[in-house]
Amino acid sequence: MECQICHRDFQTNACCVNGHFVCDECHTRGMDAIVGVCLSNTSRDPLEVLEELMSQPFCHMHGPEHHTIVGAALLTAYRNAGGNVDLSDALDTMLLRGRQVPGGICGMWGSCGAAISAGIFVSIVTKSTPLESEAFGLANTMTSRALAKIGAVGGPRCCKRDSYLAILEAVQFTKEHLGVSMGETYPTCTRIAKNRQCIGNRCPFTPANVARRDAAQAVSPTK
Protein backbone atom coordinates (compact mmCIF):
# COMPACT_ATOMS: atom_id res chain seq x y z
CA MET A 1 0.00 0.00 0.00
CA GLU A 2 0.98 3.63 -0.39
CA CYS A 3 1.87 5.52 2.79
CA GLN A 4 -0.49 8.48 3.11
CA ILE A 5 2.36 10.70 4.36
CA CYS A 6 5.53 9.85 2.38
CA HIS A 7 3.64 8.23 -0.55
CA ARG A 8 6.09 5.33 -0.85
CA ASP A 9 4.76 1.83 -1.47
CA PHE A 10 5.08 -0.82 1.25
CA GLN A 11 4.16 -4.43 1.84
CA THR A 12 1.77 -4.25 4.80
CA ASN A 13 -0.45 -6.50 6.88
CA ALA A 14 -2.90 -3.80 8.01
CA CYS A 15 -4.65 -0.57 7.15
CA CYS A 16 -7.32 1.56 8.80
CA VAL A 17 -11.04 0.91 8.31
CA ASN A 18 -11.07 3.52 5.53
CA GLY A 19 -8.26 1.82 3.63
CA HIS A 20 -5.45 4.19 4.61
CA PHE A 21 -1.92 3.18 5.57
CA VAL A 22 0.96 5.00 7.30
CA CYS A 23 4.41 3.37 7.31
CA ASP A 24 6.35 2.73 10.52
CA GLU A 25 8.90 5.45 9.76
CA CYS A 26 6.25 8.15 9.35
CA HIS A 27 4.21 6.79 12.27
CA THR A 28 7.15 7.19 14.63
CA ARG A 29 8.47 10.50 13.32
CA GLY A 30 9.89 12.55 16.18
CA MET A 31 10.99 9.51 18.17
CA ASP A 32 14.54 10.87 18.50
CA ALA A 33 13.12 12.96 21.34
CA ILE A 34 13.42 9.81 23.46
CA VAL A 35 17.11 10.52 24.05
CA GLY A 36 16.62 13.98 25.53
CA VAL A 37 13.65 12.92 27.65
CA CYS A 38 15.50 9.96 29.12
CA LEU A 39 18.80 11.72 29.75
CA SER A 40 16.98 14.39 31.80
CA ASN A 41 14.82 11.92 33.74
CA THR A 42 16.05 10.99 37.23
CA SER A 43 13.44 8.38 38.21
CA ARG A 44 14.39 4.87 39.32
CA ASP A 45 10.95 3.67 38.27
CA PRO A 46 10.75 2.61 34.60
CA LEU A 47 6.96 3.00 34.62
CA GLU A 48 7.34 6.66 35.54
CA VAL A 49 9.82 7.09 32.69
CA LEU A 50 7.47 5.20 30.37
CA GLU A 51 4.56 7.50 31.19
CA GLU A 52 6.67 10.54 30.32
CA LEU A 53 7.61 8.94 27.00
CA MET A 54 3.99 7.99 26.32
CA SER A 55 2.99 11.63 26.80
CA GLN A 56 5.28 12.81 24.01
CA PRO A 57 3.73 13.89 20.67
CA PHE A 58 5.37 11.03 18.77
CA CYS A 59 3.62 8.36 20.88
CA HIS A 60 0.19 7.14 19.77
CA MET A 61 -2.27 4.78 21.44
CA HIS A 62 -0.78 1.90 19.48
CA GLY A 63 2.27 1.63 17.28
CA PRO A 64 5.87 0.49 16.86
CA GLU A 65 7.17 3.36 19.02
CA HIS A 66 6.41 1.07 21.98
CA HIS A 67 9.05 -1.33 20.66
CA THR A 68 11.61 1.33 21.59
CA ILE A 69 10.18 3.22 24.57
CA VAL A 70 9.87 0.12 26.77
CA GLY A 71 13.59 -0.57 26.53
CA ALA A 72 14.45 3.13 26.77
CA ALA A 73 12.45 3.49 30.00
CA LEU A 74 14.15 0.41 31.45
CA LEU A 75 17.63 1.64 30.50
CA THR A 76 16.95 5.02 32.10
CA ALA A 77 15.63 3.62 35.37
CA TYR A 78 18.42 1.02 35.44
CA ARG A 79 21.06 3.76 35.20
CA ASN A 80 19.28 5.90 37.80
CA ALA A 81 19.07 2.91 40.16
CA GLY A 82 22.82 2.40 40.02
CA GLY A 83 23.14 0.12 37.01
CA ASN A 84 26.42 0.28 35.14
CA VAL A 85 25.55 1.58 31.69
CA ASP A 86 26.49 4.55 29.50
CA LEU A 87 22.96 5.81 29.05
CA SER A 88 23.61 8.02 26.04
CA ASP A 89 25.24 5.21 24.06
CA ALA A 90 22.67 2.70 25.30
CA LEU A 91 19.76 4.85 24.15
CA ASP A 92 21.31 5.25 20.71
CA THR A 93 21.56 1.47 20.48
CA MET A 94 18.00 1.05 21.75
CA LEU A 95 16.68 3.40 19.08
CA LEU A 96 18.61 1.56 16.38
CA ARG A 97 17.41 -1.88 17.45
CA GLY A 98 13.88 -0.92 18.47
CA ARG A 99 13.18 0.70 15.12
CA GLN A 100 13.95 -2.59 13.40
CA VAL A 101 11.02 -4.32 15.14
CA PRO A 102 8.04 -3.90 12.76
CA GLY A 103 4.58 -2.77 13.75
CA GLY A 104 1.93 -5.44 14.15
CA ILE A 105 4.26 -8.33 14.91
CA CYS A 106 2.36 -9.13 18.12
CA GLY A 107 -0.35 -10.72 16.01
CA MET A 108 1.65 -11.69 12.93
CA TRP A 109 4.84 -13.12 14.41
CA GLY A 110 3.69 -14.21 17.86
CA SER A 111 6.23 -11.97 19.57
CA CYS A 112 5.01 -8.66 20.96
CA GLY A 113 7.44 -5.81 20.36
CA ALA A 114 7.12 -4.61 23.96
CA ALA A 115 8.51 -7.94 25.17
CA ILE A 116 11.26 -7.84 22.56
CA SER A 117 12.12 -4.32 23.74
CA ALA A 118 12.59 -5.63 27.29
CA GLY A 119 14.88 -8.31 25.86
CA ILE A 120 16.84 -5.66 23.97
CA PHE A 121 17.28 -3.77 27.26
CA VAL A 122 18.87 -6.84 28.84
CA SER A 123 20.99 -7.48 25.76
CA ILE A 124 22.38 -3.95 25.96
CA VAL A 125 23.24 -3.89 29.66
CA THR A 126 24.77 -7.39 29.52
CA LYS A 127 26.56 -6.69 26.22
CA SER A 128 25.01 -9.78 24.67
CA THR A 129 25.89 -10.99 21.21
CA PRO A 130 24.96 -14.16 19.29
CA LEU A 131 28.25 -15.67 20.54
CA GLU A 132 27.79 -15.01 24.25
CA SER A 133 26.73 -17.67 26.72
CA GLU A 134 25.20 -16.20 29.89
CA ALA A 135 24.20 -12.85 28.37
CA PHE A 136 22.57 -14.58 25.40
CA GLY A 137 20.51 -16.70 27.79
CA LEU A 138 19.51 -13.76 29.97
CA ALA A 139 18.31 -11.63 27.06
CA ASN A 140 16.22 -14.42 25.57
CA THR A 141 14.83 -15.43 28.95
CA MET A 142 13.78 -11.84 29.59
CA THR A 143 11.87 -11.73 26.33
CA SER A 144 10.24 -15.09 27.01
CA ARG A 145 9.10 -14.07 30.49
CA ALA A 146 7.56 -10.85 29.19
CA LEU A 147 5.86 -12.75 26.36
CA ALA A 148 4.41 -15.24 28.84
CA LYS A 149 2.79 -12.43 30.82
CA ILE A 150 1.43 -10.78 27.69
CA GLY A 151 0.19 -14.08 26.29
CA ALA A 152 -1.57 -14.98 29.54
CA VAL A 153 -3.73 -11.85 29.30
CA GLY A 154 -4.44 -12.37 25.61
CA GLY A 155 -5.63 -10.03 22.88
CA PRO A 156 -6.62 -8.02 21.04
CA ARG A 157 -3.63 -5.73 21.13
CA CYS A 158 -3.10 -2.89 23.53
CA CYS A 159 0.36 -1.40 23.28
CA LYS A 160 -0.03 0.33 26.66
CA ARG A 161 -1.11 -2.84 28.49
CA ASP A 162 1.64 -4.93 26.90
CA SER A 163 4.25 -2.28 27.69
CA TYR A 164 3.19 -2.25 31.35
CA LEU A 165 3.33 -6.04 31.54
CA ALA A 166 6.77 -6.19 29.93
CA ILE A 167 8.20 -3.56 32.26
CA LEU A 168 6.75 -5.09 35.43
CA GLU A 169 8.33 -8.41 34.50
CA ALA A 170 11.62 -6.71 33.61
CA VAL A 171 11.78 -5.02 37.01
CA GLN A 172 11.59 -8.41 38.73
CA PHE A 173 14.02 -10.00 36.26
CA THR A 174 16.58 -7.22 36.71
CA LYS A 175 16.48 -7.57 40.48
CA GLU A 176 16.83 -11.36 40.30
CA HIS A 177 19.52 -11.66 37.66
CA LEU A 178 21.34 -8.32 37.44
CA GLY A 179 21.24 -7.29 41.10
CA VAL A 180 19.72 -3.86 40.46
CA SER A 181 16.50 -2.87 42.24
CA MET A 182 14.55 -0.38 40.18
CA GLY A 183 11.50 1.41 41.51
CA GLU A 184 8.17 -0.29 40.93
CA THR A 185 4.74 1.25 40.84
CA TYR A 186 1.66 -0.55 39.60
CA PRO A 187 -0.04 1.40 36.80
CA THR A 188 -3.69 2.30 36.53
CA CYS A 189 -4.88 2.75 32.95
CA THR A 190 -6.13 6.22 32.06
CA ARG A 191 -6.59 5.57 28.34
CA ILE A 192 -9.53 3.16 28.24
CA ALA A 193 -11.70 5.57 26.25
CA LYS A 194 -8.97 5.94 23.60
CA ASN A 195 -8.67 2.23 22.86
CA ARG A 196 -11.40 0.76 20.68
CA GLN A 197 -10.04 -2.72 21.35
CA CYS A 198 -9.88 -2.39 25.15
CA ILE A 199 -10.49 -5.80 26.77
CA GLY A 200 -12.16 -4.23 29.81
CA ASN A 201 -12.26 -6.41 32.91
CA ARG A 202 -9.70 -8.83 31.45
CA CYS A 203 -7.07 -6.10 31.69
CA PRO A 204 -5.16 -6.06 35.00
CA PHE A 205 -4.74 -2.29 34.80
CA THR A 206 -8.37 -1.08 34.80
CA PRO A 207 -9.11 1.11 37.83
CA ALA A 208 -11.46 -1.55 39.25
CA ASN A 209 -8.89 -4.34 38.93
CA VAL A 210 -6.11 -2.22 40.41
CA ALA A 211 -8.37 -1.33 43.35
CA ARG A 212 -9.10 -5.02 43.94
CA ARG A 213 -5.40 -5.84 43.76
CA ASP A 214 -4.55 -3.09 46.25
CA ALA A 215 -7.27 -4.25 48.62
CA ALA A 216 -6.04 -7.85 48.45
CA GLN A 217 -2.46 -6.79 49.12
CA ALA A 218 -3.56 -4.71 52.10
CA VAL A 219 -5.08 -7.84 53.64
CA SER A 220 -2.23 -10.18 52.68
CA PRO A 221 0.83 -8.13 51.66
CA THR A 222 3.44 -9.75 49.44
CA LYS A 223 7.09 -8.96 48.98
Side-chain angles (χ1 to χ4, degrees), residues 122 126 133-143 173 177-178:
V122 172
T126 62
S133 176
E134 182 180 2
F136 177 97
L138 287 172
N140 281 276
T141 301
M142 175 68 261
T143 302
F173 185 91
H177 295 280
L178 304 180

Side-chain angles (χ1 to χ4, degrees), residues 36-220:
V37 171
C38 288
L39 288 176
S40 64
N41 192 296
T42 59
S43 177
R44 296 173 59 252
D45 186 341
L47 286 166
E48 289 184 359
V49 183
L50 183 74
E51 288 295 346
E52 183 176 5
L53 291 171
M54 285 179 174
S55 71
Q56 300 303 309
F58 70 80
C59 190
H60 304 84
M61 183 65 214
H62 307 294
E65 59 268 41
H66 297 83
H67 306 168
T68 300
I69 64 175
V70 167
L74 287 164
L75 286 167
T76 303
Y78 179 83
R79 189 282 305 269
N80 293 340
N84 182 20
V85 66
D86 183 323
L87 185 58
S88 181
D89 286 348
L91 289 170
D92 287 343
T93 302
M94 186 68 238
L95 279 162
L96 177 65
R97 296 182 187 177
R99 280 175 161 149
Q100 295 178 57
V101 183
I105 69 165
C106 52
M108 304 297 182
W109 290 10
S111 50
C112 174
I116 293 173
S117 192
I120 295 173
F121 151 69
V122 172
S123 78
I124 292 172
V125 299
T126 62
K127 298 180 171 59
S128 178
T129 74
L131 301 180
E132 293 295 325
S133 176
E134 182 180 2
F136 177 97
L138 287 172
N140 281 276
T141 301
M142 175 68 261
T143 302
S144 71
R145 281 180 48 167
L147 282 173
K149 293 293 184 180
I150 291 167
V153 175
R157 60 108 189 249
C158 175
C159 290
K160 306 303 190 231
R161 178 189 73 231
D162 294 346
S163 295
Y164 291 153
L165 289 167
I167 282 186
L168 287 171
E169 192 63 24
V171 169
Q172 295 303 311
F173 185 91
T174 301
K175 184 177 181 179
E176 294 167 13
H177 295 280
L178 304 180
V180 175
S181 296
M182 297 187 281
E184 181 182 359
T185 55
Y186 195 85
T188 300
C189 182
T190 60
R191 300 176 177 90
I192 293 172
K194 297 180 180 179
N195 183 9
R196 294 181 181 180
Q197 293 88 39
C198 178
I199 61 174
N201 287 333
R202 285 200 294 115
C203 176
F205 307 115
T206 62
N209 283 338
V210 173
R212 280 191 286 270
R213 174 187 179 275
D214 291 345
Q217 287 203 332
V219 173
S220 179

